[in-house]
Amino acid sequence: MAKFDFSNRDSFGSKIGVIAAAAGSAIGLGNIWRFPYVAGENGGGAFLLIYIGFIIMIGVPVMLSEFVIGRRAQRNPVGAFRLLAPKSRWPLIGFMGITAAFTILAFYTTVAGWTLEYLYLAVSNGFQGQSKADLQNNFGEFVASGTRPLVWQVVFMLLTAWIVFKGIKNGIEKYTKILMPLLLVIIVGLCVRALTLPGASEGLIFLFKPDFSKINGNVVLQALGQSFFSLSIGMGTLITYGSYISKKDNLGLTAVSVSVADSLIAILAGIAIFPAVFAFNITPEAGPSLVFITLPLIFEQMPGGYFFEIIFFVLLAIAALTSTISVLEVAVAYLAEELDMSRKKSTIIASTGITILGIFCTLSMGPLPELGFGGMNLFDILEKLSANIFLPLGGLFIVLFVGWKMGKNNVFAEISNDGLLKVRLKWVYLFIIRFIAPIAIALVFLNGLGLFGVFSGGDL
Ligand code: PHE
């Protein structure tokens, strides 16, 4: 059916390029914007502990499984399942991934657009002299205003589409390699400032001291959802990136490096944000607005704050961009390879579809509040649906596929580069993806949805 020329497929050019791109995908708004407020809403330290547990026990194995599928098949997620499991229903997982690409990018570009507005405000000195109440009001008014957030969202989508259109080596790899190291330096700088604020210790206690009374089924599901979202797993992003990884690279090491980098940045973001949250008396459960209010407050108090706030919002936008390109690439690779479209046409079609859904998402924050149900607007629904339903479900089927369907020898051949690498933990990996990960995901998932009625389960 497809006439795509697979012998001429683009790929990453270097090991560092692979790590930069995959870490670029993982590290994003999920770490700096979402992690602090989800942790804040779900008990801080106790949440962090469960979150890290999930990254190690489930996240890394799922990520490796995605790399295994992708590199084995050298295809987009739908094509990969078609190739590895012909005439079966497994490609449906690939289709769920494409759907998730749309739902994730719709709300993600809304927030990414906010970062551009805040960058603009930072440059034009727009936070100067503002009190906490001013910042809260202004943020609320801005996100509900309709036109401005929409314009920024479209601008962001155009940037994303432009890089994806340029391809893997000359687009994604080239930009992530420059942008990711820069991000690390700035985050560390911000942590130093936050830690020297009066009252910083209270924020650190909140972030690191576990209070187990806060834990229930829903908190555990949120931790699982956040770990999947933050690692970019469960929807085929890393199947797609895996398909561009050279046969010589070490997949296990790549998965571990990317997961460590991702967790580190989430913790650093927590260290940069919670001390300020407590120092300025903001509630840690402030929700999606958290970083947009606390950070400008820190910057106002900071020597050289003008400079740092500009750099920070540039980097927040960059972190978001290196993630949005990875999500868009999933849909573009699918259209190009399975429906035989040119890269240009695939990029235009996928971006246009996503932008339309994204526009409704942004409008649901203000002008069209009726877009939603059960007290949640479309933005909240797409966010929760993606992180807490699509990604864990996708991850569940991915580990089942690699653990039970692909064949142990194929899997071991792929992670050891056909026997060239000695992978000491291969049996542990196999045991986890066959038993522990699927059972854990299924239990957390059902329990979090309140289906066992044991805990006070919750909203998605
Ligand atoms: N991991 C990205 C972040 O933390 C978001 C993402 C989710 C990207 C799923 C790709 C796939 O911002």
Side-chain angles (χ1 to χ4, degrees), residues 98-110:
I98 313 280
T99 312
F102 277 73
T103 57
I104 289 178
L105 275 186
F107 77 84
Y108 204 93
T109 52
T110 301

Side-chain angles (χ1 to χ4, degrees), residues 22-35 51 100-101 104-105 107-108 226-238 262 319-320 322-328 330 386-387 391:
S25 169
I27 297 167
L29 296 174
N31 306 58
I32 304 166
W33 160 74
R34 196 173 193 273
F35 170 77
Y51 171 75
I104 289 178
L105 275 186
F107 77 84
Y108 204 93
Q226 174 60 20
S227 66
F228 274 52
F229 185 77
S230 190
L231 290 176
S232 302
I233 52 180
M235 58 151 291
T237 303
L238 298 178
D262 187 65
T322 55
S323 299
T324 50
I325 53 182
S326 71
V327 187
L328 182 61
V330 175
S386 312
L391 301 185

